[in-house]
């Protein structure tokens, strides 16, 4: 499994219209070590990369297959918003961890202002995202954010009971069980007051 700390910069216009999101992913130290070894970087093992080694990491995590949502879901009052692919990609190596950033344009926010939920998660839960890095709102003073944390204990108990009710031949998704990644995901709720 992969553990990723997430930070977000949410860009809105002066009417509270969501325009873009900058996503920061800080990969756990073990996964960062695996990637640097796979790429043949940090041969001296001092957890410091040269500028050319760091440049070799740029975009390593942006080779997305067709249809991949970038492990990011943004909804506006329950309606999913369309996002562009990754832009302005960066990668750095900080204290033994790979930290990458990328921007995603919001291409389908027609109503402007209101409440948005920004949810970084992997539907398969192979990658565990946690919003532990800063969340900032750029461009509008009337917008505020808060992090809605899942109730892991209650959600896990409920899911366990649903799984126990299945027979061995039934797949959880075929039984209509919830998207596990979304169920246990942190949500950043952005609320923009009407101007």
């Amino acid at each position: 499994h992969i553990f990723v700390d997430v930070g977000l910069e949410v860009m809105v216009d002066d009417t509270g219209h969501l325009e873009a999101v900058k996503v920061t992913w800080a990969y756990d130290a073990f996964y960062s070590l695996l990637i640097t070894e796979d790429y043949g970087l940090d041969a001296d093992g001092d957890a410091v990369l040269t500028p050319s080694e760091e440049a070799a990491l740029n975009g390593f995590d942006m080779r997305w297959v067709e249809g991949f949502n970038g492990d990011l879901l943004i909804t506006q009052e329950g309606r999913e918003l369309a996002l562009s692919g990754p832009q302005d990609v960066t990668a750095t190596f900080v204290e033994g961890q790979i930290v990458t950033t990328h921007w995603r344009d919001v291409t389908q926010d027609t109503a402007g202002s209101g409440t948005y939920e920004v949810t970084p998660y992997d539907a398969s839960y192979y990658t565990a995202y946690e919003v532990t890095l800063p969340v900032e709102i750029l461009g509008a003073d009337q917008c505020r954010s808060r992090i809605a944390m899942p109730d892991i204990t209650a959600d896990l108990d409920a899911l366990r009971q649903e799984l126990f009710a299945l027979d061995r031949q039934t797949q959880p998704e075929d039984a209509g069980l919830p998207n596990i990644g979304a169920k246990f995901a942190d949500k950043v709720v952005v609320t923009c007051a009407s101007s």
Side-chain angles (χ1 to χ4, degrees):
H1 293 284
I2 304 168
F3 299 91
V4 179
D5 291 324
V6 178
L8 299 166
E9 291 180 35
V10 180
M11 182 176 289
V12 295
D13 66 16
D14 56 8
T15 66
H17 180 94
L18 184 59
E19 295 184 320
V21 176
K22 181 181 182 182
V23 180
T24 299
W25 289 335
Y27 292 93
D28 67 87
F30 182 67
Y31 184 73
S32 297
L33 175 64
L34 292 176
I35 293 297
T36 55
E37 285 185 350
D38 285 351
Y39 278 69
L41 308 175
D42 193 27
D44 59 6
D46 66 354
V48 176
L49 299 185
T50 66
S52 63
E53 288 177 321
E54 201 167 77
L57 287 174
N58 202 40
F60 86 94
D61 56 352
M62 298 292 129
R63 297 181 185 106
W64 299 352
V65 297
E66 184 71 31
F68 178 60
N69 72 352
D71 286 346
L72 186 68
L73 174 69
I74 300 179
T75 59
Q76 180 185 26
E77 298 169 3
R79 189 183 81 250
E80 185 175 345
L81 301 181
L83 302 172
S84 72
Q87 303 169 55
D88 301 323
V89 174
T90 69
T92 56
F93 195 67
V94 181
E95 297 178 3
Q97 286 185 272
I98 299 171
V99 179
T100 68
T101 66
H102 61 279
W103 281 94
R104 309 273 309 270
D105 289 335
V106 177
T107 61
Q108 209 178 33
D109 175 9
T110 55
S113 73
T115 300
Y116 304 92
E117 284 189 359
V118 183
T119 310
Y121 79 96
D122 174 7
S124 71
Y125 209 54
Y126 183 81
T127 302
Y129 294 96
E130 188 174 359
V131 181
T132 59
L133 303 176
V135 174
E136 298 179 49
I137 299 176
L138 309 174
D141 293 333
Q142 77 270 27
C143 298
R144 300 289 177 260
S145 70
R146 67 179 175 82
I147 299 174
M149 309 289 285
D151 184 345
I152 298 292
T153 303
D155 288 344
L156 194 55
D157 286 344
L159 182 61
R160 188 176 294 126
Q161 293 305 315
E162 292 176 280
L163 289 172
F164 285 151
L166 299 180
D167 61 44
R168 290 184 180 183
Q169 285 73 38
T170 304
Q171 294 296 317
E173 57 273 9
D174 295 339
L177 289 181
N179 178 327
I180 293 173
K183 192 167 188 68
F184 296 109
D186 294 345
K187 290 179 173 46
V188 175
V189 180
V190 177
T191 304
C192 295
S194 299
S195 54

